[in-house]
Amino acid sequence: MERFSALSLARKAIGGHLGWKPQWRSVEQPKKAYDIVIVGGGGHGLGAAYYLAKQHGLRNIAVVERGWLAGGNTARNTTIIRSNYLFDESSNYYEHSLKLWENLSQELNYNVMFSQRGCLMVAHTVHDVQVFKRHVHANRLNGIDNEWLTAEEAKEFCPPLNISPNIRYPVLGGALQRRAGTARHDAVAWGFARAASDMGVDIIENCEVTGITRAADGRVTGVETTKGPILAGKVAVSAAGHSSVVMEMAGIRLPLQSNPLQALVSEPVKPAFPTIVMSNTIHAYISQSDKGEMVIGAGTDSYVSYTQRGGLHIPAETLAAICELFPMFRRLRMMRSWGGITDNTPDRSPITAKTSVPGLYVNCGWGTGGFKATPGAANLFAWTIAKDEPHPINAPFTIERFRDGVMIDEAAAAAVAH
Ligand SMILES: Cc1cc2nc3c(=O)[nH]c(=O)nc-3n(C[C@H](O)[C@H](O)[C@H](O)COP(=O)(O)OP(=O)(O)OC[C@H]3O[C@@H](n4cnc5c(N)ncnc54)[C@H](O)[C@@H]3O)c2cc1C
């Protein structure tokens, strides 16, 4: 694998950027059999393959992706990374991920452009204030940074913020996690793909899994795909919006609902926005990309759909609220909007677990907030697959918690979970 350094990049620049090689091997046809087949070539699936190879020495692995690498939610999200969730189980999981983000570019020798510019969650009602202060206290008890800012302090931190009391959604203060940030979404997938491929993992694009095969005793034996059957000792599903469809192939019904979530970007402008601002009440979140575009996330459509697009009224409402909170954006033109399919659990917390089918594992239910978890989920999913048991951090995130009533109810905690 070509190592990146200041010197190697300078050499390429002087040479007119000729001679770049593909960053990972493109495997057209899968082998007959692998030890592990991972379904879904998004950040989570590619990351799991990387950690299986790197930390557990398992290299006979295929990542099977029905479209193109990271064409799912990995490349459709607004890239907010934070760990300030309420419950101990969640904040442990997301903090595990945040710590991995902090060293990911070095670990992969690939710049994932992780930028720790902070995430300010603004409160508009007394209820918001109480909830966010509770988050601040809970996080600090767990050693996770989070602090409460008054409206004036919030404006000092983010000058474009309108803190006039005479607006529809007045800002009463905000919770700030300074270590939160954004990253370049597809770079994460490419970085994991490159490193995994270098260790022997086969990445097979345009290969849809159409069935999961099982032996007479119920154990998984492999997958059926549009490129033929593949035998596998273990099958690990990380298919985001399609998790319930894929798991149904093995007879497992998941407590998931698939809804479109939309985002949009503006025309590029000079650096104008220093942080990420989220408003759960309005259901809007905004940050500025390195290219200068304002990246804006809206809410989920309320209907179930697999169309990767949503209703126009959702971003329209988000934009109306954003113009009120940041009047300087009123004349900004929007360039593109798109949707992704999110897989939402009843408690808005994920599932990273082995299943009742021997040899079958699932990592799903990340809904509107799994980008931040990419390295953490991949790392813990790899552990679960390799050892056939969960890591203590993901042990509570089972399918059975919905049967047993042991929810990790971030939905109730935050009204929304990104
Ligand atoms: C608009 C939007 C904004 C978001 N904003 C944020 C945010 O700011 N912060 C945050 O943390 N999260 C955010 N999210 C959520 C986040 O994007 C996802 O939770 C996360 O990217 C999921 O990663 P993944 O690798 O599991 O999924 P994906 O990248 O979707 O990968 C799953 C892959 O599985 C493949 N697949 C599906 N079925 C099959 C099959 N049968 N055979 C083979 N392959 C299959 C798909 O093609 C897909 O490529 C947002 C999501 C959206 C849609």
Side-chain angles (χ1 to χ4, degrees):
M1 181 170 70
E2 191 173 17
R3 295 284 304 169
F4 290 125
S5 65
L7 195 64
S8 74
L9 291 175
R11 266 203 216 109
K12 277 279 180 339
I14 293 164
H17 285 291
L18 298 171
W20 281 103
K21 295 198 186 81
Q23 294 294 304
W24 58 86
R25 289 176 300 115
S26 183
V27 177
E28 278 306 315
Q29 203 52 38
K31 292 192 290 193
K32 276 207 176 93
Y34 292 90
D35 294 338
I36 301 167
V37 166
I38 295 176
V39 184
H44 285 229
L46 293 162
Y50 167 77
Y51 288 114
L52 278 165
K54 180 82 194 287
Q55 295 184 337
H56 304 281
L58 297 163
R59 299 192 168 189
N60 187 21
I61 300 172
V63 178
V64 179
E65 165 55 47
R66 71 176 191 157
W68 67 95
L69 191 142
N73 286 353
T74 298
R76 292 168 186 272
N77 75 89
T78 48
T79 81
I80 299 174
I81 296 165
R82 60 187 180 85
S83 65
N84 53 351
Y85 283 68
L86 180 64
F87 293 108
D88 295 357
E89 294 88 342
S90 330
S91 55
N92 280 345
Y93 200 150
Y94 291 102
E95 180 63 15
H96 176 66
S97 196
L98 183 50
K99 290 208 173 103
L100 290 172
W101 276 113
E102 284 172 333
N103 194 40
L104 200 59
S105 294
Q106 288 76 7
E107 157 116 25
L108 298 177
N109 179 235
Y110 201 83
N111 188 2
V112 300
M113 299 169 80
F114 181 43
S115 156
Q116 289 179 291
R117 60 184 72 176
C119 178
L120 177 67
M121 300 173 79
V122 289
H124 303 290
T125 62
V126 173
H127 174 74
D128 279 355
V129 173
Q130 288 167 345
V131 166
F132 289 154
K133 283 190 174 170
R134 190 174 165 216
H135 275 72
V136 168
H137 297 313
N139 291 157
R140 289 168 83 136
L141 280 171
N142 280 323
I144 294 170
D145 69 307
N146 199 356
E147 62 198 89
W148 177 253
L149 303 187
T150 62
E152 290 70 28
E153 287 167 341
K155 183 159 179 72
E156 202 177 318
F157 184 70
C158 181
L161 185 63
N162 180 5
I163 58 166
S164 154
N166 299 319
I167 55 175
R168 266 192 312 161
Y169 301 104
V171 175
L172 304 183
L176 172 65
Q177 184 174 32
R178 290 184 195 268
R179 286 168 58 241
T182 57
R184 172 75 196 261
H185 41 32
D186 35 25
V188 180
W190 298 337
F192 275 133
R194 174 177 177 264
S197 170
D198 188 54
M199 288 185 284
V201 171
D202 280 358
I203 299 167
I204 305 145
E205 294 173 273
N206 299 311
C207 181
E208 179 169 355
V209 169
T210 52
I212 294 178
T213 51
R214 295 169 66 182
D217 63 359
R219 194 176 173 83
V220 154
T221 55
V223 290
E224 303 279 356
T225 78
T226 47
K227 292 194 175 187
I230 309 175
L231 295 171
K234 294 179 175 180
V235 172
V237 177
S238 208
H242 292 81
S243 312
S244 52
V245 179
V246 177
M247 292 300 285
E248 188 101 60
M249 295 171 190
I252 293 188
R253 282 201 72 200
L254 289 175
L256 291 178
Q257 189 171 304
S258 298
N259 301 82
L261 177 70
Q262 297 179 72
L264 53 168
V265 288
S266 74
E267 59 188 331
V269 288
K270 288 192 173 166
F273 205 74
T275 184
I276 307 160
V277 174
M278 291 180 63
S279 163
N280 291 2
T281 303
I282 299 167
H283 213 132
Y285 33 108
I286 181 164
S287 64
Q288 189 167 19
S289 78
D290 44 286
K291 288 186 281 181
E293 304 148 342
M294 301 308 302
V295 182
I296 298 170
T300 27
D301 281 70
S302 52
Y303 52 84
V304 171
S305 166
Y306 291 99
T307 57
Q308 300 205 125
R309 67 178 65 173
L312 185 60
H313 62 288
I314 303 265
E317 269 176 34
T318 299
L319 287 179
I322 284 201
C323 288
E324 198 176 47
L325 278 180
F326 307 103
M328 75 178 204
F329 293 141
R330 278 190 181 148
R331 287 165 56 214
L332 208 56
R333 281 169 299 191
M334 291 298 131
M335 257 192 345
R336 295 189 302 277
S337 74
W338 63 88
I341 303 305
T342 60
D343 52 343
N344 300 293
T345 59
D347 62 1
R348 297 295 188 274
S349 288
I351 296 166
T352 308
K354 56 191 278 195
T355 71
S356 54
V357 173
L360 181 64
Y361 307 83
V362 67
N363 170 42
C364 67
W366 287 99
T368 59
F371 179 72
K372 62 180 70 63
T374 303
N379 180 265
L380 298 173
F381 195 35
W383 172 293
T384 307
I385 300 162
K387 300 192 183 291
D388 197 36
E389 63 180 30
H391 185 280
I393 297 178
N394 67 302
F397 294 85
T398 61
I399 304 177
E400 290 75 24
R401 75 177 186 272
F402 300 101
R403 179 197 64 199
D404 301 340
V406 195
M407 307 287 186
I408 306 161
D409 207 345
E410 291 293 337
V416 63
H418 283 295

